[in-house]
Amino acid sequence: MDRKSGILADRAIGALFAEGRLKSEVPLDEDQIQPASLDLRLGSKAMRVRASFMPGRAHTVAEKLERLTLHEIDLREGAVLETGCVYIVPLMESLDLPEEISASANPKSSTGRLDIFTRVMVDHAQEFDKVPTGYRGQLYLEISPRTFPIIVRRGSRLSQIRFRTGHALLNETDLLSLHAAETLVASDAPNVSGGGIALSIDLKGSGSDGLIGYRGKHHTAVIDVDRKDAHDILDFWEPLYSRGGNELILDPDEFYILVSNEAVHVPPLYAAEMTPYDPLVGEFRVHYAGFFDPGFGHAAAGGSGSRAVLEVRSHEVPFILEHGQVIGRLVYEHMQEHPQGLYGAGVGSNYQAQGLKLSKHFRRG
């Protein structure tokens, strides 16, 4: 049965376009609508700015750009975005939301795994990645590559947006009941608090060599965000192996790809999100790309046993992670209706049934 409150599914996102509530400079790509989100596409130009900024209640993004833009970059033929720089790109999509619909944004999985820091901004915003109910106007994406320089172009997809009505979050009692029925994480004694269910880190490793993750290299070649299987892993990543201690020291300002100890399951009538960095669990940030679509890890969609790949960066001081340590929490929300497609079931999903896995840009083996 359809709910009045909840995350809008693919059919409802398509209806927003049909009604003119979602607009685009060009027709949608065939695979742009996901089960519970919409991929956002870069427009034709990027503005290199002096620093990241918040528009604030009194200003539009364009007004701030007039003062802060250093130079403009044409993206129509592709352009390199350098590490350590901040760019603002008007997106192809714009909104004219009904009063009952709000939205939130997150980097796509591949974006997070390349350590590309992205945030969506709207006019008069006081928060990143949040779109208030009834918003009417342009969408902008802040982009700051952290580890690798990247090539992007008009139409590249680095971020995604979810639409919702009302209050959709499950409380702790609901989470425990859903876990008992559907097994949300592969744990006999789930750690549920703060409105989320805990995930821990796997530092025992996999395979005969005990691979536990990867650390990003510095001073590499550029990565084209639109090319799959185009780069050799060892040109960009240092593999990390378990040496029997089942722990890893995170060096400040280094970027790591690790994996959860538990498999994750998102049933078809729910969507999940990894909560942002929590200072209560340590001085590090986990999972830049936080959306988990309906069907992630769902056996019927080919994902039985899908673990969460984690993008990890320590802050300020070295920090020791130990195997089984809690590193983040998943919050779950109701869908308004069953999506027409599920994650991994023919909707262009690259990370279903995953273990430890780099982004789609790197060749395996």
Side-chain angles (χ1 to χ4, degrees):
M1 186 176 74
D2 296 352
R3 296 172 50 90
K4 290 185 178 180
S5 63
I7 302 293
L8 272 62
D10 41 19
R11 185 191 63 80
I13 295 172
L16 288 179
F17 271 99
E19 297 163 3
R21 296 297 192 170
L22 250 171
K23 303 175 183 179
S24 179
E25 297 173 7
V26 297
L28 292 182
D29 296 339
E30 185 177 345
D31 60 346
Q32 194 172 343
I33 297 178
Q34 303 296 324
S37 61
L38 174 77
D39 291 350
L40 299 171
R41 298 173 295 181
L42 302 186
S44 300
K45 61 183 180 180
M47 274 68 72
R48 164 86 189 280
V49 293
R50 291 161 51 191
S52 176
F53 64 89
M54 183 69 70
R57 184 175 297 171
H59 298 282
T60 65
V61 177
E63 289 169 346
K64 286 291 185 75
L65 286 173
E66 288 181 4
R67 182 166 61 89
L68 297 174
T69 296
L70 297 175
H71 61 90
E72 185 175 302
I73 301 167
D74 190 339
L75 299 183
R76 288 174 294 181
E77 300 300 325
V80 174
L81 304 186
E82 302 283 357
T83 58
C85 298
V86 181
Y87 305 87
I88 306 297
V89 181
L91 297 170
M92 286 189 185
E93 290 75 31
S94 60
L95 300 177
D96 182 8
L97 292 180
E99 288 300 325
E100 69 275 11
I101 295 181
S102 63
S104 60
N106 240 307
K108 288 176 59 64
S109 295
S110 295
T111 305
R113 294 186 203 191
L114 292 178
D115 198 21
I116 306 169
F117 189 63
T118 70
R119 301 187 288 198
V120 167
M121 284 193 296
V122 298
D123 293 336
H124 309 293
Q126 298 182 82
E127 294 180 279
F128 291 111
D129 285 332
K130 302 293 184 185
V131 183
T133 56
Y135 175 76
R136 182 177 186 178
Q138 178 70 51
L139 296 172
Y140 298 84
L141 189 66
E142 176 188 299
I143 306 171
S144 183
R146 303 293 303 276
T147 298
F148 312 118
I150 59 173
I151 297 175
V152 300
R153 56 188 55 80
R154 185 175 189 266
S156 295
R157 305 189 214 165
L158 299 182
S159 188
Q160 55 193 339
I161 191 167
R162 274 183 179 171
F163 302 92
R164 61 174 55 78
T165 60
H167 182 77
L169 276 173
L170 276 69
N171 60 32
E172 293 174 19
T173 300
D174 294 335
L175 268 178
L176 286 169
S177 297
L178 184 61
H179 175 75
E182 297 278 5
T183 310
L184 302 180
V185 299
S187 173
D188 294 330
N191 178 335
V192 176
S193 66
I197 188 165
L199 288 181
S200 66
I201 195 76
D202 176 11
L203 293 177
K204 288 185 176 179
S206 60
S208 58
D209 54 4
L211 180 69
I212 61 172
Y214 298 90
R215 179 165 49 206
K217 292 184 175 181
H218 298 282
H219 315 297
T220 67
V222 298
I223 294 176
D224 189 326
V225 300
D226 297 320
R227 293 183 62 197
K228 296 182 181 180
D229 304 317
H231 304 286
D232 186 272
I233 289 175
L234 296 181
D235 289 339
F236 294 85
W237 299 97
E238 175 191 354
L240 303 173
Y241 302 97
S242 172
R243 299 176 62 187
N246 296 337
E247 65 181 28
L248 174 67
I249 297 178
L250 302 177
D251 292 324
D253 293 323
E254 296 287 340
F255 180 67
Y256 300 83
I257 297 291
L258 304 172
V259 70
S260 68
N261 193 35
E262 300 87 1
V264 173
H265 176 214
V266 183
L269 284 173
Y270 299 87
E273 183 175 355
M274 179 77 80
T275 54
Y277 158 75
D278 182 353
L280 297 179
V281 300
E283 291 297 323
F284 58 91
R285 177 187 172 101
V286 173
H287 221 69
Y288 292 92
F291 285 167
F292 291 75
D293 269 348
F296 182 90
H298 190 59
S304 182
S306 296
R307 293 197 284 171
V309 172
L310 308 166
E311 304 99 24
V312 180
R313 180 180 286 277
S314 185
H315 295 299
E316 307 298 337
V317 297
F319 188 85
I320 298 177
L321 280 180
E322 298 181 354
H323 177 78
Q325 182 173 340
V326 172
I327 44 75
R329 294 186 181 275
L330 283 174
V331 296
Y332 281 74
E333 295 183 81
H334 293 282
M335 296 292 297
Q336 271 196 339
E337 61 182 344
H338 195 295
Q340 292 176 316
L342 293 177
Y343 184 92
V347 294
S349 307
N350 296 286
Y351 306 114
Q352 186 67 292
Q354 70 181 355
L356 176 65
K357 190 174 183 181
L358 294 170
S359 73
K360 60 189 178 184
H361 307 90
F362 301 98
R363 294 187 290 268
R364 304 296 299 180

